[in-house]
Amino acid sequence: MDLRKVSLAQLPSVGPKRLEALQSLGINNVYDLLFYFPFRYEDMQAKSLDDAIDQEKILIKGVVASEPVVSRFGYKKTRLNVRLMTDNESIMVTFFNQPWLKDKFETGNEAAVYGKWNANRRSLMGMKVIGVDDNSVDSVYSVNKNIHQKTLVNLIKVAFEKYHDQIETVVPSYLRLKYKLLDDEQIVSGIHFPKSEEQSEEARRSAKFREFFLFQCGLQSIKRNDDNQNIGIVEKYDQKFLDDFIKSLPFKLTDAQNRVVQEILQDMASNHHMNRLLQGDVGSGKTIVSVIAMLASVTAGYQAAIMAPTEILAQQHFDKISKLLTPLKIRTALLTGSLTKKEHDFIAGDILNGKTNIVVGTHALIQDSVEFKDLGFIVIDEQHRFGVNQRKALRQKGNNPDVLAMTATPIPRTLAITTYGDMDVSRIDQLPAGRKKIETYWIRSQKIEQMYQFVAKELQTGSQVYVVTPLISESETMDLKNAELIFDKFTELFGKKYKIGLLHGQMPNDQKEAVMSDFSDKKIDVLVSTTVIEVGVDVPNASVMVIYDANRFGLSQLHQLRGRVGRGDKQSYCILIADPKNESAAERMKILTSTNDGFVLAEEDLKMRGAGDLLGNRQSGLPEFKIGNPINDINILEVAQEEASRLFEDDKLFNSPETKNLKSFINEEYDQLNNFD
Ligand code: ADP
Ligand code: MG
């Protein structure tokens, strides 16, 4: 029987009130109830606060230091504040709109809270309270004010007794045999009512495979559907035109760039709908690859668009692209949010009537007022900076355009399988010739004079310098103050001989652009900036990157920042100023000084941050896994992926009666993934 269709009202102890309580937990039918699994402490990141990174999800334990306080704000919103004294620090924990949790905290008692860490404020945004009573058991059901743990467990028991022999197994038996997995009835009983540790382990392992397998099957069906139904555009591009263009470039493409260009062109020429991720470390030369691809599309008679996450970056792309392509009579346009209505309408008009061949823009491109005549190819630069919906919206501007998404963030195995499972991946695994390794140094702030001296020396050789202050705080004004202080200091030290510039997020866009283009044109020698600079900016003459408070950021972001230098043939340097207060931050500084390899850094970053941070958030476009942890359980995940893809390739397997149940689950997964935003 399909227990997803059996109402909870069929259970003896469920009346309208319980029904509602269960629904508030997302439990809508008997199936949901049986598969409502407890989480375990060990599945969470229980680590010392000193090791926690900003926005990481962690579990903290402490003694309630003062009476919890509920305050109201806005329309019917509440905030619950409670102070927890951990081993050596008093931490403010805040819950939004769950005033009832107040009762869980009694002054002087121990409490444990799972939540999101704010490293700057040293506070926690609470997500779950783990009561002290629960400390005795290692499994905890996530419940709310409407229902108790015990009630829930009892209900599960009742449901299991009534329906256990009707639970239909999802994973086909050939796989269960191969990997020694339990069937669904055994999974449910083994997880909720284990008779031994081994049984519980076995059940969890099977449940993880089941969860990952379903997810992978969902991705597979999206991919196949995309391939089959959305026949892509066949773009008959002009090879000679492209060859001439490539020959005219001031540099020779690297082998890796050439290979990737071929991969893209092949997709364009076929009716295969391209959905490709281009990964290449910072400075590997992704932009020119995307320009060649867009040009190909234009020679085939289509329009192309490239969307960048910031105006600064869009402007820079536009300057480069128009300089390269205008002589070839390719018409380019820049479309951002800071245009006047008149300018916007004019540019949008030319996009609609097809006069414009290539459009460079920010997310302003996806406004309703922007329509294309015939959009055949889109590029999404720094794609991880866009939400799934934004990427989708741009795609819908054309009739199934080919998509090239670019990212410098190397994709650890986990992410490659999950987030990007439905994309083809191309890699530029080589930097242009002549690039020197960026030398990275870490100094403590007491030695900051050394940095000034070093900067002075570099400036003398004609180099330009970035100074970034990556203070992360909720208040932009605080970032600003910090940047201004540093700006003043540099002006005091170097202002007589050199031009110092300031760039921060609160400046109006035209001012930002002016500063950026002055830096590009070497009218500014030292650019003091907040992290608005982080993404993509390319000024090859800049050879020094100074980063203040470097310990405040994760590895990947520091790597991105560092990647702003080392783009020309000069020896480049990155100076990290950091006074880390704990081992792991110090460890991060050391890793950065020891490697330039973005892939190594990304794997480390992922490990240090944990899964919650990179997966399961809305940005990544992934639903949260209930029981599997894609990082710790990477081996199970990989096997699940292999098996899912094999199943879809093999008609005999796919159409066997054994997969009938599986298929209906896949359909559900497909809908969920497709509608996820
Ligand atoms: P990213 O991959 O980080 O986006 P860019 O596309 O901005 O990198 O390229 C970095 C710099 O390298 C740019 O100044 C670009 O013109 C230059 N570049 C790209 N390809 C080559 C190449 N094959 N040889 C030399 N320089 C190159
Ligand atoms: Mg780039």
Side-chain angles (χ1 to χ4, degrees):
M1 186 176 359
D2 188 347
L3 296 176
R4 288 172 298 178
K5 297 205 176 99
V6 179
S7 159
L8 291 161
Q10 300 291 320
L11 298 174
S13 48
V14 176
K17 219 169 148 205
R18 280 257 156 96
L19 205 61
E20 215 173 282
L22 288 167
Q23 275 164 357
S24 71
L25 290 175
I27 302 174
N28 295 309
N29 50 54
V30 169
Y31 172 84
D32 289 347
L33 181 63
L34 290 173
F35 282 83
Y36 194 76
F37 293 151
F39 58 87
R40 296 194 295 189
Y41 286 128
E42 62 196 74
D43 292 338
M44 300 186 190
Q45 301 261 332
K47 55 157 90 173
S48 139
L49 282 182
D50 288 341
D51 293 341
I53 301 179
D54 192 50
Q55 298 306 307
E56 183 178 9
K57 287 181 193 158
I58 54 167
L59 176 71
I60 65 171
K61 283 185 187 168
V63 174
V64 180
S66 62
E67 190 79 355
V69 179
V70 175
S71 49
R72 299 190 172 278
F73 68 103
Y75 177 70
K76 281 194 176 169
K77 289 187 189 141
T78 66
R79 183 190 293 121
L80 165 65
N81 280 330
V82 59
R83 219 161 241 300
L84 285 191
M85 191 64 212
T86 67
D87 286 345
N88 46 20
E89 201 175 342
S90 145
I91 301 295
M92 179 62 85
V93 179
T94 305
F95 288 90
F96 290 100
N97 306 321
Q98 290 158 275
W100 61 86
L101 291 178
K102 188 169 187 278
D103 303 339
K104 299 243 175 194
F105 300 99
E106 224 168 281
T107 317
N109 277 0
E110 251 206 359
V113 179
Y114 182 66
K116 220 184 226 179
W117 177 238
N118 184 320
N120 201 43
R121 297 182 166 184
R122 301 202 72 73
S123 64
L124 191 80
M125 197 188 77
M127 296 159 70
K128 263 177 201 147
V129 186
I130 290 130
V132 267
D133 302 344
D134 305 333
N135 275 338
S136 52
V137 295
D138 62 358
S139 297
V140 184
Y141 291 84
S142 161
V143 287
N144 59 24
K145 64 170 172 174
N146 303 320
I147 194 159
H148 281 119
Q149 290 257 350
K150 281 202 189 94
T151 321
L152 186 68
V153 177
N154 275 335
L155 279 173
I156 294 173
K157 220 171 250 163
V158 170
F160 186 72
E161 269 153 26
K162 185 160 177 192
Y163 292 106
H164 69 96
D165 51 5
Q166 315 217 29
I167 299 175
E168 289 171 0
T169 298
V170 168
V171 176
S173 63
Y174 74 93
L175 289 175
R176 278 184 283 126
L177 264 171
K178 186 166 171 190
Y179 298 107
K180 302 196 172 51
L181 302 169
L182 303 181
D183 66 26
D184 283 5
E185 182 186 348
Q186 292 166 320
I187 287 177
V188 171
S189 78
I191 287 182
H192 293 298
F193 328 109
K195 296 205 177 66
S196 65
E197 184 58 29
E198 290 80 64
Q199 194 197 353
S200 154
E201 269 321 305
E202 218 183 334
R204 294 185 84 86
R205 187 175 65 89
S206 305
K208 285 171 181 178
F209 180 90
R210 180 188 189 279
E211 181 174 37
F212 287 146
F213 183 65
L214 272 177
F215 171 73
Q216 288 298 334
C217 285
L219 282 183
Q220 285 293 329
S221 66
I222 286 186
K223 194 168 172 175
R224 308 279 150 153
N225 234 19
D226 203 45
D227 287 352
N228 297 340
Q229 295 184 357
N230 304 337
I231 302 295
I233 307 166
V234 179
E235 287 158 284
K236 296 207 178 76
Y237 57 85
D238 183 340
Q239 184 69 52
K240 168 104 182 29
F241 195 92
L242 293 184
D243 289 342
D244 290 346
F245 173 70
I246 292 170
K247 266 192 218 119
S248 77
L249 291 173
F251 47 74
K252 207 167 150 277
L253 293 184
T254 61
D255 291 346
Q257 283 171 318
N258 272 319
R259 189 190 64 236
V260 168
V261 165
Q262 280 319 312
E263 286 168 1
I264 296 168
L265 290 179
Q266 245 165 43
D267 267 357
M268 291 173 80
S270 77
N271 69 358
H272 171 74
H273 174 242
M274 183 170 96
N275 189 15
R276 188 172 284 280
L277 183 73
L278 173 55
Q279 195 262 311
D281 209 346
V282 282
S284 62
K286 295 183 289 296
T287 315
I288 192 66
V289 169
S290 73
V291 173
I292 295 167
M294 289 193 288
L295 192 58
S297 185
V298 171
T299 65
Y302 294 93
Q303 289 171 299
I306 175 168
M307 178 161 79
T310 64
E311 294 220 1
I312 292 180
L313 196 54
Q315 177 76 45
Q316 186 187 283
H317 281 335
F318 176 73
D319 292 344
K320 282 194 182 171
I321 293 172
S322 54
K323 204 162 118 203
L324 283 172
L325 300 185
T326 311
L328 306 179
K329 307 228 156 32
I330 307 286
R331 285 172 305 259
T332 51
L334 175 66
L335 197 128
T336 65
S338 59
L339 297 174
T340 62
K341 178 156 190 325
K342 210 170 135 196
E343 288 165 334
H344 174 94
D345 291 349
F346 182 77
I347 292 172
D350 277 355
I351 296 174
L352 180 61
N353 67 28
K355 250 195 206 159
T356 299
N357 305 114
I358 293 180
V359 189
V360 183
T362 56
H363 53 266
L365 280 176
I366 57 184
Q367 301 165 90
D368 287 341
S369 56
V370 181
E371 279 178 70
F372 288 78
K373 179 155 184 263
D374 202 355
L375 179 62
F377 194 88
I378 65 181
V379 181
I380 298 172
D381 194 19
E382 307 288 348
Q383 70 99 30
H384 57 286
R385 301 281 295 240
F386 292 99
V388 179
N389 269 349
Q390 289 173 310
R391 288 178 243 162
K392 208 172 181 180
L394 184 56
R395 223 158 44 226
Q396 281 161 354
K397 296 275 172 192
N399 179 21
N400 236 341
D402 284 334
V403 178
L404 182 69
M406 307 200 289
T407 185
T409 309
I411 317 149
R413 281 190 303 161
T414 303
L415 293 177
I417 296 179
T418 51
T419 315
Y420 305 113
D422 64 333
M423 290 179 126
D424 295 315
V425 178
S426 287
R427 281 210 176 81
I428 306 184
D429 49 9
Q430 174 184 31
L431 293 179
R435 291 280 169 80
K436 300 197 177 70
K437 181 176 174 293
I438 303 167
E439 282 181 29
T440 303
Y441 301 100
W442 163 33
I443 59 170
R444 294 185 185 266
S445 54
Q446 72 200 50
K447 300 220 165 138
I448 204 157
E449 293 295 332
Q450 290 184 348
M451 180 271 286
Y452 296 139
Q453 283 161 20
F454 185 80
V455 167
K457 226 175 65 204
E458 281 297 302
L459 284 171
Q460 244 167 15
T461 71
S463 282
Q464 287 167 280
V465 178
Y466 288 103
V467 179
V468 175
T469 150
L471 233 200
I472 27 171
S473 78
E474 237 108 284
S475 113
E476 282 198 36
T477 43
M478 215 173 121
D479 283 352
L480 171 59
K481 187 160 148 254
N482 201 49
E484 274 176 340
L485 281 177
I486 294 170
F487 172 76
D488 290 346
K489 181 71 189 175
F490 274 81
T491 308
E492 179 198 319
L493 289 174
F494 304 108
K496 285 208 190 76
K497 266 172 105 176
Y498 303 102
K499 181 97 170 73
I500 321 294
L502 177 64
L503 187 72
H504 59 77
Q506 294 191 323
M507 285 161 52
N509 284 321
D510 49 345
Q511 218 170 313
K512 271 193 229 161
E513 270 158 35
V515 171
M516 227 23 247
S517 76
D518 281 355
F519 190 62
S520 252
D521 301 343
K522 207 173 180 300
K523 287 182 195 148
I524 288 176
D525 303 290
V526 179
L527 181 61
V528 179
S529 165
T530 59
T531 47
V532 284
I533 207 71
E534 180 197 340
V535 158
V537 177
D538 184 44
V539 180
N541 188 53
S543 65
V544 182
M545 166 62 69
V546 179
I547 305 173
Y548 279 74
D549 291 317
N551 50 311
R552 302 233 181 194
F553 271 118
L555 285 171
S556 292
Q557 201 163 6
L558 289 168
H559 181 60
Q560 274 274 348
L561 283 168
R562 173 167 68 180
R564 296 313 108 214
V565 297
R567 305 190 142 239
D569 38 24
K570 279 189 174 170
Q571 175 58 49
S572 294
Y573 305 91
C574 174
I575 301 172
L576 308 167
I577 303 169
D579 302 308
K581 295 192 180 52
N582 59 69
E583 258 315 293
S584 95
E587 190 56 32
R588 288 204 298 281
M589 298 306 111
K590 284 184 202 147
I591 295 173
L592 272 166
T593 56
S594 69
T595 182
N596 269 303
D597 186 333
F599 194 82
V600 173
L601 291 169
E603 293 272 0
E604 287 294 329
D605 205 25
L606 191 63
K607 265 193 230 142
M608 287 182 157
R609 279 171 184 258
D613 210 50
L614 287 164
L615 298 171
N617 62 23
R618 295 176 79 79
Q619 267 293 321
S620 73
L622 256 194
E624 231 161 314
F625 291 105
K626 288 197 181 107
I627 189 160
N629 174 328
I631 293 175
N632 300 342
D633 305 321
I634 176 80
N635 296 331
I636 304 181
L637 179 57
E638 278 181 334
V639 173
Q641 185 207 25
E642 269 166 41
E643 293 297 350
S645 119
R646 193 166 305 151
L647 174 72
F648 274 73
E649 264 156 30
D650 188 338
D651 287 343
K652 230 173 48 222
L653 281 183
F654 195 71
N655 294 322
S656 92
E658 246 216 292
T659 59
K660 187 168 150 266
N661 193 29
L662 174 66
K663 275 187 199 144
S664 96
F665 275 85
I666 294 176
N667 287 340
E668 195 173 300
E669 193 78 24
Y670 176 90
D671 287 343
Q672 266 174 23
L673 285 169
N674 240 358
N675 295 323
F676 196 78
D677 58 24

